[in-house]
Amino acid sequence: MDLSGSWDYETDEENTGLDRKLFQRKLKGAGFLLPGSACQNQIGRKQEYAAEFTPEAVRAPRERYEYVGPLWLQRQVRVPRGCEGKDVRLFLERVNMASQAWVDGKCAGRQVVELSAPHCHDLTGLLTPGVHTITLRLDNRNLLNIGGMASGYSIDTQGIWSGVIGRMELQFLNQERMEDIQVYPCDNGIDVKVVTASGISSPGKKSAARLRLTIVSPDGEPLPCVSREVELYQARQTERFHCEIREICWWNEFHPCLYRLDAVLETENGGEDRRTVTFGMRLACSREKNLLLNGRPIFLRGTTDCAIDPLTGYPSMEEETWVKRFSTVKEYGMNHVRFHAWCPPEAAFAAADRLGIYLSVEMPFWLNRDVGCPAAGEDILHRYYFTQEALAISKTYGNHPSFLMFSNGNEIMGDFELLEDIIIMMKAQDPRHLYTLTSNFDHPVSPCEDYLCAFEAGGHPVRLQHLQEAAAEHSCLDYREAVEDVPAPVVSFEVGQYCVFPDVDLILEYQGNMLPVNLEAIRREMIKNGIYDRRKDYIAASGAMAALLYKEDVETALRTEGFGGFSLLSLCDYTGQNTAAVGLLNAFWESKGILTPEEFRQFCGPAVPLFLSKRVYSTEETLKARLKLFDSREERAESPLFHLELWNGKELFFRTETREQQVEIPLTGLSNPAGLRVKLSAEGGSNSWMVYVYPEKEKTGLPMLRGDSEELKRLIREGGRAVVSGEGLKCPVEGSFTPVFWSPVFFPSSRPCGAIIDSGHPLFENFPTEEYPGFQWKALIDGCAGAKLQQLGSGFRSIVELAPNFLTQTPASPLFEGKVGAAEILFCGFDLQGEQLPVKGLRQSIAEYVLSDKFRPDQEISPETFLGMFF
């Protein structure tokens, strides 16, 4: 019996409802629509946009109406005749976090506290044919002392919503029935555990029954039936069967084929109970360094889901919503989603089953003192609750083939004995999944762990965050040391986290339960600082830098032999923790226009060509590269045929077709600086990189002047040309090639997020560059001195601009030109003293430009303004 619709309600913020016995009274309010939340029903404290630009203002979107505390709901039901003798269950698919039920003022047992699985209340004996009043008390307070960081319970993610958001129904059940069915695939079929329920609870009483199991193949063909006489002797008991399957269709990302098990229980009194379970034939294990699925190694290419739902503020319970989301994941070449400190609903598993997505599931468990919570196990409730939570997740969702991996939670510290106990218990009960103690934090691998998920493994980094210097020099990085030193498969954790400038225009899309207070605070600050009109430029620049580094992050994992895989954080934005807009997609899973799915799949997919080489060469060198194919397809190439091209602009510089893995390409034919675009394809995959080539010797010297020198002042008065260094610049904005990590507020940072280059400017005729910096710019941008552009007036055009982060909101330029008094000035905040080839190349290019007739600045800068920028 569907219970969705209109309910009466009463709020109870002071928690006095039990004392006032609201379960025996008619509640005052009417029209609370379920499924739904208190916010959806406009109940709670109405939120407003923050007045000030503060860390709390940009923490996260907030529910338009915030309600935390007990909430009472009530409605009448008419139970039809014919339900006599049935067991009755009140089923609430997802509640946050506790519920208790009464029928006609009589309590139906203690409250259920559960965040991941349905709430079920036994109403047997309380509901008879006729009209009855059901009263619910929901409580979304932090009853478990689990802090506020886990995605399953956090303002930063789905909000602390109150309500029932999934199916809600009365279930009328035969006393003799199948209570639960679990399907365990094996080499030649399935082992089935059937939990039967009956009204028997006295020694010596028994009842005969027959269990029939029929498997229906993925193409709809029924397989031979398994039937057995069973004897019911207890209120709950288990029966175990083996069903053979010939010519098995194995489930994986390429063939998400699903079987169906139809089960029938026939009792001696003529009763019949039917249940259907959908399952996939798949076997998961880890062996040495590999994650194996159906006996074959797999490589996880994944993203992280942090329960961000910007319209509802709670997870979707509709399968098609998840189909759309997971289809986007596959469109971007991925096969894996990690659920960060939360467990998704049934609809997500069903969608992943259909599409062939590997899911990693976690409990709402994120406890360590670094995030201001108690550590795991410090409250005795943790041991009881999380043990039961793990069992509930296993029982509720374990039949889904997409449920591949289980972790206790995110970044857990404290009682690791507790974490081990839970995993040992889980593995004993349910061997269908791969298990680890916690996601993140390098630790000695426990004997019960199947893999290690961390950003460091065996003391070695396994994401690019601490390897940026080497990544800028070559495309040869890998994590072989971690693979060698860790006795289990390694999956790199939360890869990336490169801050992209937030798209504050998304405010217009927040038409549901969530109020984008964070985006509005950032938008107002942008208007105040005069940069709102540049928002699209900054999104593009920061996005291009993020894409460049995400590509290298992913390829480093792909280059590592024996690696287990990676999960990004994230393909889409995380809108909490002070606005971590780290995605190439926004929080609505929409493209930001940074990379198309086709471009992303070039470096993230089942087959990806890889080019291992230095990034910068001199014209006197020979380009030496190794060609490699990452191949995780079902049918893998033994000796792939590589198609390699190098293009110098529109001119083809080199082409070859080879099965050899080493190539050598002389560069002596290049007399001028060049940016060579490398295009490599193999086995249907195609990828590209940039390699930069510069002459070793410089032709022209470059005189530099300090900003406060008397010579500069004379030039401004009398006329002349000068290249002015950033030395002596007042309050310079320091450049950084690597952008802000996560959020500039959560991890306070003044770092810029990428740069915008006027690549068509004549200064770059002899220094090849794109609109956004490639790795040849790293030595130049790191530590450069940027002059604040607000000082030069709105509309001032720079040659290179450092894109600001959304906290500092200070545009700056390390390279611009202008007419200052009678002088023609080029300001250069890059340190051009180094001998790295890109530094020498830019130094030479600037010298040639400044000494040429093309140096004719057309923007006026007053002498007072320019000299006032220096000491």
Side-chain angles (χ1 to χ4, degrees):
M1 180 186 295
D2 182 15
L3 295 181
S4 64
S6 181
W7 288 61
D8 295 335
Y9 72 95
E10 195 162 324
T11 58
D12 185 17
E13 295 97 327
E14 300 302 319
N15 191 25
T16 61
L18 289 172
D19 293 336
R20 291 185 287 131
K21 297 185 179 180
L22 290 182
F23 49 85
Q24 293 179 350
R25 301 182 184 182
K26 178 172 173 50
L27 302 183
K28 297 175 181 177
F32 192 109
L33 294 180
L34 291 172
S37 66
C39 175
Q40 213 161 339
N41 285 276
Q42 299 186 7
I43 292 170
R45 182 167 55 89
K46 188 174 182 180
Q47 297 297 298
E48 304 290 344
Y49 287 120
E52 302 293 333
F53 185 70
T54 64
E56 185 58 29
V58 299
R59 176 175 175 180
R62 305 296 286 264
E63 288 186 290
R64 293 182 188 273
Y65 295 85
E66 288 192 350
Y67 183 89
V68 178
L71 176 66
W72 294 79
L73 299 165
Q74 191 177 77
R75 67 166 290 175
Q76 286 190 334
V77 297
R78 182 178 294 275
V79 178
R81 293 197 176 276
C83 295
E84 298 91 338
K86 299 281 189 180
D87 288 349
V88 186
R89 176 185 297 151
L90 172 61
F91 178 92
L92 308 173
E93 186 177 5
R94 186 150 294 202
V95 176
N96 183 27
M97 72 170 51
S99 67
Q100 192 166 10
W102 288 261
V103 176
D104 300 330
K106 297 178 182 177
C107 184
R110 68 180 67 221
Q111 74 174 354
V112 175
V113 182
E114 173 61 59
L115 286 167
S116 302
H119 289 210
C120 294
H121 298 272
D122 186 2
L123 307 187
T124 304
L126 297 175
L127 279 182
T128 55
V131 177
H132 297 274
T133 298
I134 295 178
T135 303
L136 293 177
R137 178 182 180 270
L138 308 180
D139 196 345
N140 65 340
R141 293 175 298 164
N142 186 4
L143 305 175
L144 297 166
N145 195 20
I146 59 172
M149 295 291 285
S151 294
Y153 186 83
S154 175
I155 288 174
D156 291 289
T157 56
Q158 53 187 302
I160 309 298
W161 55 271
S162 177
V164 182
I165 60 171
R167 287 164 47 211
M168 47 190 314
E169 57 199 27
L170 291 175
Q171 300 173 346
F172 298 90
L173 311 165
N174 295 335
Q175 277 198 344
E176 295 174 319
R177 64 183 181 273
M178 292 171 287
E179 185 67 21
D180 183 49
I181 300 175
Q182 297 293 326
V183 178
Y184 303 92
C186 53
D187 288 335
N188 64 347
I190 57 173
D191 293 324
V192 183
K193 182 178 82 170
V194 181
V195 178
T196 59
S198 72
I200 297 173
S201 58
S202 299
K205 285 190 176 182
K206 295 180 182 178
S207 176
R210 172 173 287 275
L211 264 168
R212 288 189 290 112
L213 305 179
T214 302
I215 298 173
V216 180
S217 69
D219 60 8
E221 180 184 352
L223 304 182
C225 173
V226 174
S227 180
R228 181 195 300 169
E229 297 287 341
V230 297
E231 192 173 63
L232 305 180
Y233 62 89
Q234 192 51 269
R236 292 284 189 280
Q237 65 189 70
T238 59
E239 302 290 339
R240 298 183 182 271
F241 295 78
H242 177 75
C243 302
E244 187 174 336
I245 302 176
R246 297 181 181 179
E247 299 180 1
I248 293 173
C249 178
W250 294 101
W251 183 95
N252 61 25
E253 63 185 284
F254 307 105
H255 301 288
C257 45
L258 297 173
Y259 287 81
R260 191 178 83 231
L261 177 68
D262 294 332
V264 180
L265 176 70
E266 299 168 333
T267 60
E268 63 181 13
N269 60 6
E272 184 179 88
D273 187 48
R274 293 179 175 270
R275 286 198 59 169
T276 296
V277 174
T278 300
F279 68 95
M281 289 298 297
R282 68 121 181 91
L283 300 173
C285 67
S286 65
R287 187 174 302 151
E288 296 177 349
K289 309 292 185 179
N290 292 311
L291 300 172
L292 300 182
L293 189 69
N294 309 326
R296 298 172 62 90
I298 61 169
F299 188 97
L300 301 175
R301 307 179 306 277
T303 185
T304 303
D305 189 304
C306 297
I308 305 295
D309 287 274
L311 291 180
T312 59
Y314 55 72
S316 173
M317 311 302 281
E318 300 297 325
E319 187 173 329
E320 289 310 311
T321 300
W322 289 99
V323 166
K324 183 178 179 181
R325 186 172 297 183
F326 291 152
S327 294
T328 300
V329 170
K330 296 208 81 168
E331 192 179 9
Y332 279 78
M334 298 185 179
N335 60 5
H336 166 58
V337 177
R338 170 190 165 231
F339 287 89
H340 171 285
W342 79 292
C343 176
E346 175 74 21
F349 290 97
D353 291 347
R354 287 166 54 185
L355 294 176
I357 296 287
Y358 306 136
L359 302 185
S360 177
V361 175
E362 297 177 0
M363 293 190 286
F365 199 174
W366 183 358
L367 292 175
N368 69 66
R369 292 192 172 277
D370 282 351
V371 294
C373 320
E378 290 185 351
D379 189 324
I380 195 170
L381 274 173
H382 298 160
R383 174 169 289 274
Y384 174 78
Y385 172 71
F386 287 113
T387 299
Q388 298 306 310
E389 181 85 339
L391 291 171
I393 289 172
S394 171
K395 179 179 177 180
T396 306
Y397 310 112
N399 285 323
H400 291 281
S402 58
F403 183 178
L404 184 66
M405 308 167 82
F406 178 87
S407 168
N408 284 312
N410 178 74
E411 298 180 19
I412 304 172
M413 294 188 70
D415 187 352
F416 263 54
E417 182 186 26
L418 166 61
L419 304 185
E420 277 200 346
D421 289 347
I422 293 173
I423 295 301
I424 290 169
M425 175 198 64
M426 286 280 283
K427 292 190 76 170
Q429 172 172 297
D430 190 348
R432 292 172 291 192
H433 318 298
L434 302 169
Y435 294 92
T436 190
L437 296 183
T438 174
S439 302
N440 201 5
F441 294 140
D442 190 8
H443 61 267
V445 175
S446 167
C448 69
E449 289 187 282
D450 297 308
Y451 66 100
L452 179 68
C453 178
F455 74 87
E456 288 184 342
H460 309 289
V462 288
R463 69 183 184 198
L464 200 63
Q465 182 181 359
H466 301 298
L467 300 169
Q468 298 289 355
E469 295 297 328
E473 294 176 4
H474 56 76
S475 58
C476 306
L477 274 174
D478 60 33
Y479 303 129
R480 69 180 69 185
E481 292 178 324
V483 171
E484 290 171 358
D485 290 352
V486 176
V490 177
V491 177
S492 56
F493 167 90
E494 296 186 358
V495 165
Q497 306 187 50
Y498 305 113
C499 185
V500 179
F501 203 91
D503 183 1
V504 295
D505 289 345
L506 275 180
I507 290 169
L508 299 175
E509 294 194 34
Y510 278 81
Q511 297 297 314
N513 296 342
M514 305 304 287
L515 188 69
V517 294
N518 56 335
L519 296 181
E520 176 57 26
I522 296 168
R523 189 186 75 89
R524 284 202 316 269
E525 193 72 4
M526 291 171 67
I527 293 171
K528 172 183 164 185
N529 290 321
I531 65 169
Y532 177 70
D533 291 343
R534 300 293 311 283
R535 61 197 183 281
K536 292 183 179 179
D537 296 331
Y538 295 151
I539 292 169
S542 56
M545 179 56 70
L548 179 76
L549 298 177
Y550 272 124
K551 182 178 190 292
E552 183 58 23
D553 250 313
V554 171
E555 290 183 357
T556 303
L558 301 187
R559 286 191 290 263
T560 307
E561 300 288 343
F563 204 58
F566 65 87
S567 64
L568 303 181
L569 189 63
S570 159
L571 185 61
C572 62
D573 284 345
Y574 182 99
T575 52
Q577 290 181 17
N578 305 118
T579 310
V582 296
L584 302 181
L585 309 182
N586 64 33
F588 293 85
W589 286 75
E590 300 164 339
S591 173
K592 297 180 180 179
I594 297 167
L595 285 182
T596 65
E598 293 75 19
E599 290 169 330
F600 194 88
R601 285 201 305 273
Q602 285 191 354
F603 59 86
C604 183
V608 176
L610 299 168
F611 185 78
L612 284 67
S613 164
K614 289 197 308 180
R615 301 192 191 275
V616 177
Y617 287 87
S618 78
T619 52
E620 299 175 9
E621 289 185 275
T622 295
L623 188 157
K624 298 180 180 180
R626 181 183 171 202
L627 310 183
K628 185 175 180 179
L629 178 67
F630 166 81
D631 195 352
S632 67
R633 300 170 300 165
E634 282 194 300
E635 300 298 328
R636 303 179 184 185
E638 291 293 330
S639 179
L641 178 64
F642 293 100
H643 301 267
L644 176 65
E645 295 179 347
L646 273 68
W647 290 81
N648 186 5
K650 296 181 179 179
E651 178 184 342
L652 181 64
F653 176 73
F654 177 85
R655 173 186 286 160
T656 188
E657 188 172 274
T658 180
R659 295 188 187 277
E660 299 295 325
Q661 293 189 339
Q662 304 286 342
V663 294
E664 295 191 5
I665 306 168
L667 300 173
T668 50
L670 294 169
S671 56
N672 295 316
L676 300 178
R677 178 164 294 279
V678 179
K679 296 182 179 180
L680 180 65
S681 59
E683 298 298 324
S686 179
N687 204 352
S688 65
W689 302 260
M690 290 300 298
V691 170
Y692 300 94
V693 185
Y694 303 97
E696 186 71 47
K697 298 178 180 178
E698 296 178 70
K699 303 175 185 176
T700 308
L702 177 66
M704 301 287 289
L705 292 174
R706 286 177 54 119
D708 61 349
S709 68
E710 291 301 319
E711 176 66 15
L712 174 60
K713 295 174 183 176
R714 186 189 65 77
L715 280 171
I716 291 174
R717 288 193 309 270
E718 300 177 7
R721 293 180 173 183
V723 177
V724 178
S725 77
E727 187 179 357
L729 190 67
K730 285 182 182 178
C731 303
V733 173
E734 183 176 351
S736 171
F737 185 81
T738 306
V740 168
F741 178 79
W742 192 236
S743 160
V745 181
F746 195 81
F747 296 108
S749 173
S750 60
R751 282 185 176 186
C753 293
I756 303 168
I757 302 167
D758 182 2
S759 57
H761 194 283
L763 184 150
F764 295 119
E765 283 186 4
N766 290 304
F767 187 83
T769 184
E770 296 78 41
E771 183 179 3
Y772 307 111
F775 284 108
Q776 88 277 26
W777 279 96
K778 187 174 191 307
L780 290 156
I781 291 178
D782 279 345
C784 73
K788 297 176 182 177
L789 287 173
Q790 288 101 327
Q791 301 171 88
L792 298 174
S794 64
F796 186 86
R797 303 185 312 277
S798 58
I799 301 172
V800 175
E801 179 182 349
L802 303 176
N805 70 54
F806 75 81
L807 174 64
T808 57
Q809 297 195 10
T810 307
S813 174
L815 193 65
F816 63 85
E817 62 186 359
K819 183 128 170 83
V820 184
E824 295 172 327
I825 300 294
L826 179 76
F827 171 78
C828 180
F830 297 118
D831 182 357
L832 298 181
Q833 303 304 307
E835 292 302 307
Q836 303 101 315
L837 283 172
V839 174
K840 292 168 65 176
L842 183 62
R843 185 167 67 211
Q844 177 66 27
S845 187
I846 289 175
E848 292 177 7
Y849 169 65
V850 169
L851 297 175
S852 74
D853 292 338
K854 295 178 181 179
F855 182 44
R856 290 288 182 267
D858 61 356
Q859 296 183 107
E860 295 281 349
I861 306 172
S862 74
E864 295 77 17
T865 296
F866 188 76
L867 292 173
M869 295 165 64
F870 296 86
F871 291 111

